[in-house]
Amino acid sequence: MLSIKNLKASVDGKEILKGINLEVKAGEVHAIMGPNGSGKSTLSSVLAGSERFDVDGGEVTFNGKNLLDMAAEDRAREGLFLSFQYPIEIPGVSMVNFMKTAVNEHRKYLGQDSMSAGDFLKMLRDKKKVVEIDDRLTSRSVNEGFSGGEKKKNEIFQMAMLEPKLAILDETDSGLDIDALRVVANGVNKLKTKDNSTIVITHYQRLLDHIIPDFVHILYMGRIVKSGGKELALELEEKGYDWIKNEVAVG
Amino acid sequence: MSETIDSNTMKYKLINLYQQNKLAIDAGLTDSMNKHREESIRYFDSLGIPYKGDENYKYTDMMHAFGKMYGYAFKSPKTVVDPETIFHCAVPDLDTHTIILENGWYYAKNQEQSGLPNTIVALSIREATEAYPELIEKHYNEQANNKGQATTAFNTAFAQDGLFLYIPEGVVLEKPIQVINLLRGTNPLLVNQRNLIVAGKNSQSKLIVCDHTLSHQHFLSNTVTEVFVDENAIFDFYNIQNQHNQSSQVTSLFITQMKNSNTLCNTLTLHGGFVRNNIHIKFKGEHCEANAYGLAIVDGKQHVDNYTFIDHAVPNCTSNEMYKTILDDEATGAFNGKILVRPDAQKTLAFQSNKNICLTNTARFYTKPQLEIYADDVKCSHGATVGQMDEDALFYLKSRGIGGHEAKMMLMYAFAHEVLSHIRVPVLAERYGELVEKRLRGELSRCEGCFVHCN
Ligand SMILES: Nc1ncnc2c1ncn2[C@@H]1O[C@H](COP(=O)(O)OP(=O)(O)OP(=O)(O)O)[C@@H](O)[C@H]1O
Ligand SMILES: [Mg+2]
């Protein structure tokens, strides 16, 4: 599904990703953890096609295609989805129009006809149930005046609408209350199939109790310094990052 | 036909034009209009055509509009729009009373076809001088007189016709009145249109003014509109400016508000080569509210300049201003927003916002808020920005598969939407939305669905 080889990226000449290697196969769930500022969001943004960062080296293939050559919108249409750590507010763009355009742009790319208004609205209703999102929210402008938790729910709602092959969830759990966390995690699990993959970026085990990862990676100072199974997350929860930092310093 | 000349020569040409045609200008009009002419032409002489750099014209060269050769018509045009067409023309979904003016002259058949209830008076201002002499005497040129505006004085000297609208005390008009201003001719033409609107106590009315050109000549329309809004009245003024890009348009709107009145004016500029809008709002009674909004979408070599002056002369009044511009290509624009809070005007609330997007690095916008506050217990805020499109928002859309052009369209529409959201006629807001979207897509050459087939 996704293959990252020695990916390097910088912003304003400051090197942030210093050679990332990661393989994600269809159906797998990978968790990426790591201290603040280690480059997790940068990695997500670079994969999603943000022009804020310069890619200085490496290769990324997504379902056999060179991801780094594609425009951000094409990466999305190819099935890559990023749930933002800080979703942005877009006053004046209604959620409905935003989603309708997004869905139809995906369809156009795949050579399908636009969805009829009726079908679209039905889909909207169905997907709203998946993440238990309020009607009030979908009738407003994109994220405008949404609470932190509502924004995160809205990200998962969009993911449900777009049915991506690979979803990168960047701290989707932060800011969620306990119920919302469960709802969001259940939503993600409901959307899970044996063909799609998920990368979960989080600081906390509690999300991984719901979304159980096949692999856990630790990103530190722009590199993946340790990988393991789901028990690695538990170990981190217990011991913090110091031992990793020490290991890196020693190595 | 469009040779350029210097400002002083042009001024003398225009004064000469006035002197040579004084009889024709006065003809058929009473003293209530004619008596203002001599003083106004002298005032025009003393001020001259505003030069670029002048206090209120920092970024706008009025010679761009005035520095061309125009013809002038001192008589009403004989041929007017085919009434048959007018009857079939109703703009879809916008049910209005329609009034037409051609080259600034009131169309004689308006009465029959506007469908206005007889509680409302809509007339040519020429007729009003005979039919409503007291109102003309009291309000004509009352606000516009010698306010340091050369173009207004010029208009007063030449004015022969325009719309007179009187909404008597207590009358509430359900449907909006739509005024369609048409410009057409076989030669370049300069037009001075003069409107007077009196909104009586407790009245409620909405006016939509559409400015069009029907032929490709250079036009300069210099329109002055005075609006007197009496106690407790509510009055809305929507102006859709959509002249062709070889035309120049100068509008001056004067609004005086009496106690507890509420007004809204909204200027939508779509096409038009050179546009300068002057808006003067004065509170004369307490507890008034004025809302002034503007949206301009310009490209090519268009220039648009909005000048607003809100005079908080008495306490306890509120003003809200929001002006936005989207500029593409080499378009240029300016905003000058003056707010004066006089020493007695305590408890004033005055809010101003001016936001602009330049889509290219050849587009230019200049903004100048001007707050003069002489009272201490007031709340005033202003903010002005000139920027590019929000990159983060653009990336968010792209990350959902909404690409380049479509994403930009969405964000531009969203930017414009804030102004549209303040329109107080729901169907008009929708129609504005469609117009704006078409304009942004570059598909708008004329108002969709309008019977006026101007390009
Ligand atoms: N636009 C930018 N300009 C300058 N520095 C940046 C920019 N974006 C990110 N950085 C820097 O890159 C480093 C990695 O940031 P990133 O947001 O990827 O961290 P993170 O692992 O997601 O952290 P967190 O856990 O706090 O979300 C940080 O030092 C950050 O300050
Ligand atoms: Mg982050």
Side-chain angles (χ1 to χ4, degrees), chain A residues 52 73 77 82 91 155 158, chain B residues 392 396 398 400-401 410 414:
Chain A
R52 200 174 274 273
E73 58 269 29
R77 295 163 186 166
L82 170 60
E155 295 291 286
Q158 294 172 40
Chain B
D392 290 331
Y396 193 77
K398 285 182 184 175
R400 301 305 182 240
M410 245 186 184

Side-chain angles (χ1 to χ4, degrees), chain A residues 75-138:
Chain A
R75 301 183 193 195
R77 295 163 186 166
E78 287 284 343
L80 185 99
F81 181 88
L82 170 60
S83 167
F84 284 79
Q85 182 174 2
Y86 304 109
I88 193 160
E89 300 193 9
I90 315 183
V93 174
S94 75
M95 266 310 292
V96 171
N97 191 30
F98 172 55
M99 275 294 100
K100 197 181 74 193
T101 311
V103 166
N104 283 331
E105 289 292 302
H106 274 70
R107 294 177 69 91
K108 204 194 314 175
Y109 186 78
L110 300 172
Q112 301 165 343
D113 287 341
S114 289
M115 245 185 178
S116 73
D119 289 349
F120 174 75
L121 290 171
K122 184 175 178 310
M123 178 176 175
L124 201 69
R125 275 194 302 275
D126 292 346
K127 302 292 182 174
K128 268 197 286 211
K129 285 192 205 119
V130 175
V131 286
E132 300 176 27
I133 194 168
D134 209 299
D135 282 338
R136 277 183 309 114
L137 296 183
T138 51

Side-chain angles (χ1 to χ4, degrees), chain A residues 11 14 16 35-42 52-53 85 171 203:
Chain A
V11 59
K14 179 184 161 199
I16 298 172
N36 295 133
S38 57
K40 302 179 298 296
S41 295
T42 303
R52 200 174 274 273
F53 301 93
Q85 182 174 2
E171 295 199 27
H203 288 294

Side-chain angles (χ1 to χ4, degrees), chain A residues 143-175:
Chain A
N143 292 329
E144 192 188 18
F146 287 28
S147 74
E150 287 169 343
K151 284 181 184 164
K152 295 302 175 74
K153 265 194 177 182
N154 191 21
E155 295 291 286
I156 302 305
F157 166 66
Q158 294 172 40
M159 170 181 159
M161 289 294 289
L162 297 174
E163 299 174 342
K165 294 187 182 114
L166 172 68
I168 303 169
L169 311 181
D170 190 357
E171 295 199 27
T172 302
D173 53 336
S174 65

Side-chain angles (χ1 to χ4, degrees), chain B residues 57 71-72 138 200 202 237 252 257 270 323 328 352 367:
Chain B
Y57 291 86
Y72 204 100
K138 182 162 175 224
N202 299 304
F237 185 93
S252 301
Q257 292 189 227
L270 299 169
Y323 280 80
D328 203 348
Q352 182 187 87
T367 176

Side-chain angles (χ1 to χ4, degrees), chain B residues 81-91 96 98 100 107 109-115 451:
Chain B
V81 186
D82 173 14
E84 274 301 300
T85 338
I86 297 163
F87 274 110
H88 296 297
C89 87
V91 176
T96 61
T98 311
I100 292 176
Y107 176 45
K109 294 220 169 113
N110 279 333
Q111 251 46 41
E112 305 155 29
Q113 48 201 233
S114 67
F451 73 101

